[in-house]
Amino acid sequence: MAVLRRLARHPPGSPQPANDFPRGTLVSVVTGLNGEPERDVVAVGRIGPARGVRGDVFVQPWTDDPADRFAPGSVLRTDPVEAGPLTVEVANLGGSKLVVHFAGVEDRTAAEGLHGVRLMVPAAQRAALEDPDEFYASDLVGLMARTASGTQLGTVRDVLNLAGAEYLVLDAGGHEQLVPFVAAIVPTVDVAGGVVVVDPPDGLFDL
């Protein structure tokens, strides 16, 4: 699972937030039937196209340690649930390409049927984070952003990485608002309480 580190401030030259930013690296979480994030499971990858004719598939990993998460013998839950669970039989990581063979997927037709399936693990399997400025990205999605005075700004819908800088993507009254994920602007992250406190600089929000 992707881990975000909250810096004191973004390095010089980092992109400044704007509503028309191009999409960058998006962190995915699993949503339940009501559209809310599922807190007991997190997505660690998505199955891509088939590779070859023997049932291998490309996988887009959403984890900081794909070699460990997709180690042979790993059992992964799926979304949709009827596609799994899937057991990793062989995984080969070369550069940014991850090729996986799942047990029981023996031909290209079966592999193509898995295209787009998301792969999940229980959130409890994640390692504990010792640094108070590190957070699992999936824990941030669904939190309510508000100011210190209590004004609600919107719900964290996604987490975005642009040029090495992290942003919270808020659903702010029907439009998308990017908030730099730095301590100077996001001084408080209360995952248990479901809240992030934002201290927006002039011009970030039209409050």
Side-chain angles (χ1 to χ4, degrees):
M1 285 65 67
V3 175
L4 276 70
R5 180 171 177 79
R6 181 179 55 174
L7 302 176
R9 60 188 69 252
H10 276 172
S14 297
Q16 297 302 305
N19 289 337
D20 58 351
F21 256 109
R23 306 303 286 177
T25 301
L26 202 58
V27 177
S28 177
V29 297
V30 178
T31 54
L33 295 177
N34 62 355
E36 295 298 319
E38 291 277 9
R39 294 300 179 189
D40 62 333
V41 293
V42 289
V44 295
R46 181 175 58 200
I47 297 176
R51 178 184 181 274
V53 297
R54 298 185 178 180
D56 295 347
V57 293
F58 288 103
V59 171
Q60 178 186 5
W62 292 331
T63 171
D64 292 333
D65 191 359
D68 179 68
R69 180 56 60 195
F70 294 93
S74 299
V75 179
L76 303 170
R77 295 165 64 177
T78 60
D79 178 23
V81 67
E82 58 268 20
L86 295 172
T87 301
V88 177
E89 199 166 82
V90 179
N92 293 299
L93 181 62
S96 61
K97 299 288 187 180
L98 176 63
V99 178
V100 178
H101 186 91
F102 293 106
V105 181
E106 302 302 337
D107 57 39
R108 187 175 182 87
T109 299
E112 289 175 342
L114 295 175
H115 193 179
V117 169
R118 292 192 295 176
L119 303 168
M120 305 177 298
V121 298
Q125 290 185 5
R126 302 178 302 182
L129 299 177
E130 302 296 335
D131 190 325
D133 282 317
E134 287 187 341
F135 303 89
Y136 283 109
S138 55
D139 283 346
L140 301 178
V141 176
L143 301 184
M144 172 57 67
R146 62 172 176 79
T147 65
S149 63
T151 300
Q152 292 190 353
L153 302 173
T155 302
V156 179
R157 184 172 60 81
D158 290 316
V159 178
L160 187 64
N161 180 287
L162 287 169
E166 310 289 354
Y167 295 85
L168 303 181
V169 183
L170 303 188
D171 183 357
H175 72 276
E176 183 178 277
Q177 175 69 51
L178 300 188
V179 176
F181 189 57
V182 294
I185 297 176
V186 186
T188 302
V189 178
D190 182 1
V191 173
V195 170
V196 291
V197 175
V198 177
D199 182 14
D202 291 343
L204 183 60
F205 285 92
D206 182 14
L207 297 177

